[in-house]
Amino acid sequence: MKSRIGILTGGGDVQPLNAVIRAVVETANRNNIEVVGYAYGWQGLLENKFTILNDHIIDPLLGGTILKSSRVNLAKVEYGAERVIKNLAEQKVDGLIVIGGEDTLSNALYLKNIPQVLISKTIDNDVGIINTDSVVNYFTLGYPSAGEKISSFVSINEGLRTTAYSHERIIVVESMGMHAGWLALSSAMGHPDFIIIPEFPLDYKVFLEMVSEKYHRQKNIIIVLAEGARWADGSYISADHNEVDSFGHPRFKGAANLLADKMKKDLANKFDTRNVNSVNPSYLYRSGKPNELDLFAASELGREAIGLFKANLDKPVFLTMKYLNNKFVPESYPIIDVLNIEELHRFVTDRFYDHRLLTATDEGMKYLGKIIRELPKVCYGL
């Protein structure tokens, strides 16, 4: 059995990170396993910045990560993987728990001989596989909490719909999601009028007609726009290619504002467009405490991770959440043959999204309904 396990968090923070760290440490300590917490993700492993974790100092209801975070691509660091392996050996760390999104988890693939448990966390919900009859990793940590927030932000009983109705506004709400539109799609549980995601480029001319027709009939519109959404020619609505990170991603910002400004000009001949506005909740999606499902999943995954090491795990595995018999349970998925993290990168397809109506399909709503509470759809005189 392993006696010393390392743990790190990388990439953007999400609400249940401390909850999963707490579950790992609490379970490990009960089994005489010491947990080494690496600060600043993979950067901490490269620089040997770590502390021995005590579960009494970790509040599972506190959002963010006590270990802090960074975005490091080991492939871009000279002898990056070799340095990590050397430092783990020097600290007598028997295995590693890696908690992150696709970029953070991709580094684990350079360490195939190190026993590792990979736990996905990202409000983008884009790490996992959806087959015809099954879902590998039903959701990523943080997605339930963020999905609940965006649904609330656009809803009539808790969000922007009331001011849209009262002042006959068109409001474009920006969602995170550089390449996958899962977070934007989750807003369907709050019933916006249109959802625009990166996987399906926007036919702007058709979209304008849809907005104009619905506005004349309804007198208010809520549009959810993913930050990585694209025009019909494939170009991003708003991306700064001068600020590229170590994984090659441009900086996405201001898509909602850009679209709102464009709509103001292009719809001015149809109605008064002074009340076309944009809102970007930005980091609010990932901030705050975890909701009930995220807290449950974090605890289950943390305990199961230590269980795998107790059973003498000798190779990397992806620890997922599976929906089985009307409940969520942790399940390990082998990744020894996974050559590239993109094999675990999932996108929204027309199974879940209707690109003609710009909203979730019935199957999309069914999928979301197992994760996020659907808010009431109230006519409110519409």
Side-chain angles (χ1 to χ4, degrees):
M1 185 177 77
K2 308 294 188 294
S3 60
R4 207 170 202 222
I5 301 299
I7 186 171
L8 64 85
T9 55
D13 62 302
V14 297
Q15 296 90 335
L17 284 173
N18 286 325
V20 70
I21 296 169
R22 168 65 178 264
V24 164
V25 177
E26 194 173 44
T27 308
N29 290 171
R30 283 202 307 267
N31 290 276
N32 298 314
I33 299 173
E34 193 172 54
V35 180
V36 178
Y38 287 96
Y40 305 103
W42 289 103
Q43 193 65 41
L45 243 172
L46 287 167
E47 299 174 359
N48 260 334
K49 292 181 178 178
F50 64 87
T51 186
I52 306 304
L53 294 176
N54 183 322
D55 62 279
H56 297 301
I57 65 170
I58 307 169
D59 182 354
L61 294 179
L62 184 67
T65 166
I66 61 165
L67 292 176
K68 299 199 175 181
S69 184
S70 66
R71 196 178 297 276
V72 173
N73 185 349
L74 289 184
K76 299 290 181 67
V77 177
E78 188 173 12
Y79 302 112
E82 291 85 351
R83 286 168 58 186
V84 165
I85 293 169
K86 176 176 175 289
N87 288 342
L88 287 171
E90 285 182 355
Q91 296 303 323
K92 295 182 171 55
V93 173
D94 303 310
L96 190 62
I97 297 173
V98 181
I99 310 170
E102 62 163 328
D103 291 338
T104 297
L105 298 183
S106 69
N107 288 324
L109 300 182
Y110 301 123
L111 314 171
K112 286 291 183 72
N113 293 323
I114 303 292
Q116 296 175 84
V117 174
L118 279 55
I119 298 176
S120 63
K121 64 87 219 150
T122 168
I123 62 174
D124 292 340
N125 195 42
D126 60 355
V127 182
I129 302 169
I130 295 182
N131 298 315
T132 304
D133 56 354
S134 65
V135 181
V136 175
N137 202 34
Y138 201 93
F139 63 88
T140 58
L141 285 178
Y143 184 62
S145 298
E148 185 177 273
K149 283 194 172 189
I150 193 170
S151 299
S152 172
F153 292 162
V154 302
S155 70
I156 195 166
N157 60 328
E158 298 180 38
L160 290 165
R161 180 68 78 175
T162 54
T163 193
Y165 170 82
S166 300
H167 297 278
E168 298 189 349
R169 301 183 193 278
I170 294 176
I171 302 178
V172 185
V173 182
E174 188 162 323
S175 162
M176 288 183 170
M178 296 187 295
H179 307 296
W182 292 104
L183 182 60
L185 186 73
S186 70
S187 72
M189 303 305 274
H191 307 289
D193 298 287
F194 302 108
I195 300 170
I196 302 168
I197 63 176
E199 291 89 338
F200 294 86
L202 180 67
D203 186 325
Y204 181 65
K205 184 177 179 181
V206 172
F207 170 65
L208 278 186
E209 290 300 318
M210 293 170 70
V211 170
S212 178
E213 186 278 328
K214 193 159 194 176
Y215 185 79
H216 278 110
R217 173 165 45 88
Q218 185 171 282
K219 295 300 182 185
N220 71 93
I221 298 283
I222 300 286
I223 301 161
V224 174
L225 174 71
E227 61 185 351
R230 296 175 290 151
W231 300 117
D233 65 2
S235 64
Y236 293 114
I237 290 177
S238 180
D240 187 348
H241 292 275
N242 293 316
E243 292 189 41
V244 177
D245 66 18
S246 61
F247 291 92
H249 307 313
R251 179 176 289 277
F252 294 92
K253 56 185 177 182
N257 186 58
L258 191 150
L259 181 62
D261 285 347
K262 186 170 176 58
M263 290 170 63
K264 276 190 185 208
K265 297 174 185 174
D266 296 338
L267 289 172
N269 64 333
K270 295 181 179 292
F271 49 81
D272 184 352
T273 57
R274 286 176 296 175
N275 274 340
V276 178
N277 309 109
S278 66
V279 174
N280 185 2
S282 188
Y283 297 116
L284 289 175
Y285 290 125
R286 62 169 81 252
S287 301
K289 66 181 182 180
N291 71 1
E292 186 176 348
L293 179 55
D294 257 335
L295 186 61
F296 165 80
S299 301
E300 290 291 299
L301 290 168
R303 286 191 286 265
E304 181 65 17
I306 295 301
L308 290 170
F309 285 118
K310 277 182 63 182
N312 290 317
L313 180 74
D314 61 358
K315 58 184 179 299
V317 296
F318 177 25
L319 188 53
T320 71
M321 290 303 292
K322 183 179 180 67
Y323 190 72
L324 183 66
N325 298 325
N326 297 317
K327 62 180 181 180
F328 288 107
V329 295
E331 179 181 64
S332 59
Y333 181 84
I335 60 166
I336 196 67
D337 294 326
V338 173
L339 300 178
N340 191 302
I341 198 65
E342 291 182 359
E343 295 178 40
L344 299 177
H345 195 185
R346 65 176 169 216
F347 298 95
V348 180
T349 66
D350 56 11
R351 176 178 168 188
F352 302 96
Y353 177 77
D354 189 327
H355 66 279
R356 293 173 297 276
L357 299 179
L358 303 181
T359 191
T361 61
D362 289 343
E363 190 164 355
M365 294 295 285
K366 183 179 177 181
Y367 166 80
L368 293 168
K370 293 181 173 63
I371 312 170
I372 302 160
R373 172 177 61 99
E374 183 175 3
L375 294 166
K377 185 177 183 179
V378 184
C379 289
Y380 202 0
L382 305 182

